[in-house]
């Protein structure tokens, strides 16, 4: 009887962990489903004339689509077209996206006279 009374409640942290795990997993799955739904909506909304980037990182313009097969024809260079499934569209490219990293102040102007000897001058 003495041994039974002196036991500490060691099962409560384990019980708390067992109850918290399903809640955490449910929250993770819910956010993942939202991301997948948003990606699929973006793929379905891309139409003829839209500039896109594929999941492989190829940029192009949708020139034709076949809704029955779920495919699109993408022109990646003048006269070069590829047929791909809609699921291969990573995102639509807006005009601002292409040039957002370039600033006029960041452009380097080559000055041949100043760097003739490199960074170490005597």
């Amino acid at each position: 009887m003495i041994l039974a009374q002196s036991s500490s409640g060691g099962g409560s942290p384990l019980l708390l962990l067992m109850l918290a795990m399903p809640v955490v997993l449910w929250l993770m799955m819910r956010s993942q489903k939202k991301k997948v739904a948003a990606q699929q909506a973006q793929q379905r909304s891309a139409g003829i004339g839209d500039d896109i980037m594929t999941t492989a990182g190829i940029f192009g313009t949708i020139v034709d689509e076949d809704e029955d097969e779920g495919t699109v024809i993408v022109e990646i260079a003048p006269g070069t077209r590829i047929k791909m499934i809609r699921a291969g569209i990573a995102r639509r490219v807006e005009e601002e996206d292409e040039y957002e990293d370039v600033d006029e102040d960041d452009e380097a102007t080559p000055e041949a006279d100043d760097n003739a000897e490199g960074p170490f001058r005597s």
Side-chain angles (χ1 to χ4, degrees), residues 96-107:
E96 297 90 35
D97 291 348
E98 294 179 20
Y99 303 107
E100 71 181 22
D101 293 337
V102 178
D103 280 343
E104 292 179 17
D105 297 337
D106 292 340
E107 292 180 17

Side-chain angles (χ1 to χ4, degrees), residues 78-103:
T80 305
R81 296 178 175 192
I82 58 173
K83 182 177 183 178
M84 59 181 283
I85 59 173
R86 276 197 177 271
I89 298 172
R91 65 181 178 103
R92 290 172 46 192
V93 178
E94 302 297 326
E95 197 65 32
E96 297 90 35
D97 291 348
E98 294 179 20
Y99 303 107
E100 71 181 22
D101 293 337
V102 178
D103 280 343

Side-chain angles (χ1 to χ4, degrees), residues 33-93:
K33 284 182 182 180
K34 284 184 179 181
K35 287 179 187 178
V36 168
Q39 178 71 21
Q40 289 174 347
Q42 186 178 30
Q43 290 168 349
R44 285 191 301 268
S45 70
I48 296 175
D50 287 341
D51 292 328
I52 62 163
M53 182 181 81
T54 68
T55 55
I58 299 172
F59 290 89
T61 304
I62 297 176
V63 293
D64 194 16
E65 60 185 333
D66 185 358
E67 292 183 17
D68 295 333
E69 290 184 17
T71 60
V72 292
I73 305 293
V74 179
E75 185 170 36
I76 57 175
T80 305
R81 296 178 175 192
I82 58 173
K83 182 177 183 178
M84 59 181 283
I85 59 173
R86 276 197 177 271
I89 298 172
R91 65 181 178 103
R92 290 172 46 192
V93 178

